Amino acid sequence: MGLTKFFLPAVLIAGLLPATTASPAAAAPVRYQAESATISQGLVESNHAGFTGTGFVNADNVVGSYVQWSVPASAAGQATLTFRFANGTTANRSGDITVNGALVSDELAFNGTGAWTTWQDRVITVNLAAGTNTIRATSTTAAGLPNLDALDVDTAPAPVRGTPQTPTDVTTGLALPWATSFLPDGQSALLTERNSFRVSRVTLNGTRTTVGTVPNSVTTNGEGGLMGVAVSPTWNGTSDQAVYFFHTSNDGGQTQNRIVRMNFNGTALSNRTVIVSGIRSNTFHNGGQLKFGPDGYLYAGTGDAQDTSTSQNNNSLNGKILRFTTSGAAAPGNPFGTLVFSKGHRNPQGLAWDSAGRMWSAELGDTQVDELNLIISGHNYGWPTCQGNCSTPGMDNPKRTWTTAEASPSSLAIVNDTAYVAALRGQRLWRVELNGTSAGATQAYFTNTYGRLRSIVKVPGANTIWISTSNTTNDRLLRSEIR
Ligand code: GCU
Ligand code: CA
């Protein structure tokens, strides 16, 4: 037995299934090599050129020899199976094809291809179940199967995943709600209103109680005021009462954006402490989003405060995404040893993480395009050199762009690796499938139905998002189930 001709028992081969890129929405075929499949009565060989992978299967020339593949499918539905084979004889080497034990093709013909080095495709259409499918080709003649190189599986596009359903009201009569952060038990959330500086507690069934205002808050007669809120992930109302706010404030007569900690005992706010100061404010471009990341550190999106030079300046806290501890110190591992996590931002207001812990940000562009960015520590997102895509070395391009008219994204939530982006000027909800590090299929929902949309947050433990409108008066907090 030479090195190129070897035999592996089926039990051993069964564990060697190919790595797949199960991309739920994509319709790209996935190749499953025959030599990696389960083989009953056959050998893996490589003595006839033209195969892919590391070889092909020479099934024994008997009735009943088979090759069996395990094929995952993200959803039930139609799939195209392509068997790549060679048959150097003139006889039809037919085989029965079964999917999960059911015969789907009776004596499928594998006719002569002219030579053992001439490989051809045999294509059939089958239905696959969600989950792992067992696809087997079994010889039905004494001549055995043709030599089999691979099976390509092309699943039909999966049905749209994560469609937001028509919303219902959680609570109404709000004025410019800006951000929402759930308490760890997922039963209620804190909600900020930008211009009144008011903070409310809202329960899942919509009971709303004012718990206080954030002292020292000021408006900018533009976009500043009381903005982000983040509840400590270990908040319990007693030993941990910490809640954090991002607001424009006037401590010592100096108007700036600051990040503060307050105590919240379940009914009232008290004890404001500034943890990050020196974030410049201006009428517009104040950023304002504040969230705990999966690593337990606080993240904040800061605007350029209408001074574009801040975004590329590592010493400025503006035009950045910041990452810091609950006492306002640079989080360990930050790229420049400061609070700065990423730079080159104009006005990033959406921050969220996918299931792999990757950080995404939605950012308001200038007059041309808005961006959805994949945020990586120390990376430069281009502003003011770039808006949207450009080819400047050292600057990351967005994964998705929109015109400012169809978006102006104020916040971002990720549910089951699908991003939901609330659009102010676009007056709609954008849904973007995230496929690893790229952004996939994108659809708009609720266009011009509820007006401007600002805050969006996932309800913990539920396939539901809360969305707030931003129409200044009679604003609503909406819930939409994701199906
Ligand atoms: C030859 C050929 C094999 C093939 C076999 C067959 O031995 O080299 O690759 O499988 O014929 O007829 O099945
Ligand atoms: Ca054979």
Side-chain angles (χ1 to χ4, degrees):
M1 186 185 285
L3 272 179
T4 53
K5 183 172 179 175
F6 57 94
F7 172 78
L8 287 178
V11 281
L12 225 176
I13 295 169
L16 302 176
L17 299 174
T20 63
T21 50
S23 169
V30 178
R31 175 154 291 188
Y32 299 89
Q33 292 294 342
E35 65 269 26
S36 309
T38 299
I39 301 159
S40 175
Q41 303 185 83
L43 304 173
V44 174
E45 293 182 345
S46 56
N47 57 330
H48 300 302
F51 56 83
T52 66
T54 58
F56 56 84
V57 171
N58 168 0
D60 288 357
N61 298 22
V62 292
V63 172
S65 54
Y66 68 77
V67 179
Q68 175 180 299
W69 290 269
S70 280
V71 173
S74 58
Q78 229 176 46
T80 303
L81 305 186
T82 303
F83 295 92
R84 190 165 189 270
F85 73 100
N87 177 357
T89 73
T90 52
N92 171 13
R93 298 263 182 112
S94 60
D96 281 348
I97 311 300
T98 58
V99 173
N100 302 323
L103 186 65
V104 295
S105 188
D106 189 18
E107 297 187 14
L108 181 67
F110 291 104
N111 289 314
T113 60
W116 292 110
T117 50
T118 303
W119 299 86
Q120 285 181 3
D121 288 341
R122 188 79 169 94
V123 181
I124 60 169
T125 302
V126 300
N127 281 309
L128 296 182
T132 303
N133 293 267
T134 302
I135 300 176
R136 183 187 289 188
T138 308
S139 153
T140 55
T141 75
L145 290 168
N147 289 345
L148 283 169
D149 179 40
L151 168 66
D152 286 346
V153 180
D154 197 346
T155 50
V160 166
R161 76 170 197 241
T163 302
Q165 307 296 305
T166 302
T168 53
D169 286 329
V170 179
T171 183
T172 59
L174 298 164
L176 256 163
W178 206 96
T180 313
S181 176
F182 269 88
L183 305 188
D185 69 1
Q187 299 303 301
S188 65
L190 293 186
L191 175 135
T192 59
E193 286 171 290
R194 190 184 72 190
N195 292 358
S196 66
F197 319 134
R198 187 169 61 160
V199 181
S200 305
R201 182 175 186 169
V202 183
T203 65
L204 285 182
N205 63 15
T207 305
R208 181 167 103 230
T209 347
T210 300
V211 298
T213 55
V214 180
N216 294 25
S217 297
V218 292
T219 75
T220 65
N221 296 314
E223 294 170 353
L226 177 59
M227 297 176 283
V229 53
V231 176
S232 166
T234 50
W235 182 92
N236 56 18
T238 52
S239 58
D240 184 356
Q241 301 193 355
V243 297
Y244 301 83
F245 297 98
F246 187 136
H247 70 156
T248 316
S249 49
N250 63 359
D251 298 58
Q254 252 201 317
T255 298
Q256 292 181 345
N257 289 315
R258 294 180 174 87
I259 293 158
V260 301
R261 180 176 59 242
M262 292 188 75
N263 289 343
F264 175 56
N265 61 9
T267 52
L269 291 171
S270 61
N271 290 351
R272 172 181 174 274
T273 307
V274 175
I275 63 164
V276 179
S277 58
I279 307 167
R280 284 166 55 186
S281 62
N282 208 326
T283 311
F284 304 111
H285 309 178
N286 291 290
Q289 198 61 256
L290 184 64
K291 286 201 180 174
F292 275 95
D295 57 3
Y297 294 106
L298 278 161
Y299 289 77
T302 65
D304 70 5
Q306 296 168 270
D307 176 351
T308 58
S309 73
T310 59
S311 302
Q312 294 294 327
N313 178 354
N314 284 2
N315 297 320
S316 167
L317 294 179
N318 286 84
K320 304 293 185 313
I321 292 175
L322 308 177
R323 174 175 176 262
F324 47 96
T325 68
T326 51
S327 52
N334 276 2
F336 311 113
T338 65
L339 271 60
V340 173
F341 186 67
S342 63
K343 63 193 245 185
H345 298 286
R346 178 180 175 277
N347 197 10
Q349 294 191 354
L351 307 177
W353 289 262
D354 66 21
S355 65
R358 284 179 286 253
M359 186 182 192
W360 296 79
S361 173
E363 171 161 343
L364 293 123
D366 190 14
T367 53
Q368 296 153 25
V369 293
D370 299 317
E371 302 178 348
L372 178 67
N373 288 306
L374 175 63
I375 302 299
I376 297 168
S377 172
H379 281 216
N380 183 346
Y381 292 84
W383 180 255
T385 309
C386 307
Q387 186 181 164
N389 287 297
C390 67
S391 51
T392 306
M395 296 183 179
D396 285 23
N397 281 333
K399 299 292 182 175
R400 171 69 69 240
T401 60
W402 292 273
T403 67
T404 52
E406 62 187 0
S408 298
S410 58
S411 71
L412 168 68
I414 297 177
V415 183
N416 295 331
D417 288 331
T418 301
Y420 299 87
V421 179
L424 290 165
R425 194 172 151 203
Q427 304 199 0
R428 70 199 76 175
L429 177 70
W430 285 104
R431 174 189 159 282
V432 184
E433 288 179 13
L434 303 179
N435 299 316
T437 59
S438 43
T442 304
Q443 278 91 26
Y445 298 87
F446 318 142
T447 306
N448 297 328
T449 308
Y450 303 102
R452 294 156 58 83
L453 303 180
R454 183 181 295 277
S455 123
I456 182 159
V457 67
K458 182 191 182 299
V459 178
N463 277 336
T464 303
I465 47 174
W466 279 9
I467 309 162
S468 74
T469 68
S470 191
N471 302 310
T472 311
T473 54
N474 285 328
D475 277 317
R476 302 157 74 171
L477 182 63
L478 303 161
R479 67 169 80 75
S480 167
E481 203 192 320
I482 306 289
R483 269 191 226 139

